[in-house]
Amino acid sequence: MQSTLEPYVTLWTTVSTFYDSYASWMNGPFYKLIPEEVETETNDSFRRLYKLTKLFGTEPARPSPLGVAEEGRNKVSAFQEHLPLIAAICNPGLRDRHWAAMADIVGFE
């Protein structure tokens, strides 16, 4: 019975953990982000959700958990596009002059 429920538990915990982390990454302060940890968690979530979409998509297909896995995978994939920006913004080598130059480029004061 445990092996039957394991994919569902993995799906739930992966999606829940990613969505919680996503909220703190997007709404929290940048200085608290550790880019390597964000990238690791994002890549691990994507890998698990990719495997789960394959599992839930095979016969007998389970459309409800498959939909959740696909939606989660798509959200993770969309977030992965921002990882280089997070790494650049959270670079400890950035000084005030760098921030001033970036503010000038984007027109932000």
Side-chain angles (χ1 to χ4, degrees), residues 11-26:
L11 175 63
W12 176 258
T13 56
T14 301
V15 169
S16 177
T17 301
F18 178 77
Y19 276 52
D20 289 344
S21 296
Y22 177 86
S24 70
W25 296 333
M26 296 302 286

Side-chain angles (χ1 to χ4, degrees), residues 6-41:
E6 186 176 341
Y8 297 95
V9 172
T10 302
L11 175 63
W12 176 258
T13 56
T14 301
V15 169
S16 177
T17 301
F18 178 77
Y19 276 52
D20 289 344
S21 296
Y22 177 86
S24 70
W25 296 333
M26 296 302 286
N27 301 316
F30 280 126
Y31 72 88
K32 288 188 176 183
L33 294 178
I34 301 171
E36 296 81 17
E37 290 179 8
V38 173
E39 183 175 10
T40 299
E41 185 174 335

Side-chain angles (χ1 to χ4, degrees), residues 89 91-104 108-109:
I89 289 176
N91 185 333
L94 288 178
R95 303 289 179 239
D96 288 339
R97 62 188 165 91
H98 299 119
W99 287 107
M102 286 189 279
D104 289 342
F108 184 79
E109 295 188 28

Side-chain angles (χ1 to χ4, degrees), residues 5-19 45 48-50 52-53 55-56 62-73:
L5 293 177
E6 186 176 341
Y8 297 95
V9 172
T10 302
L11 175 63
W12 176 258
T13 56
T14 301
V15 169
S16 177
T17 301
F18 178 77
Y19 276 52
S45 295
R48 274 189 238 110
L49 290 168
Y50 180 81
L52 288 167
T53 57
L55 176 72
F56 290 128
R62 293 158 282 204
S64 293
L66 176 60
V68 172
E70 287 176 340
E71 183 179 330
R73 186 187 68 196

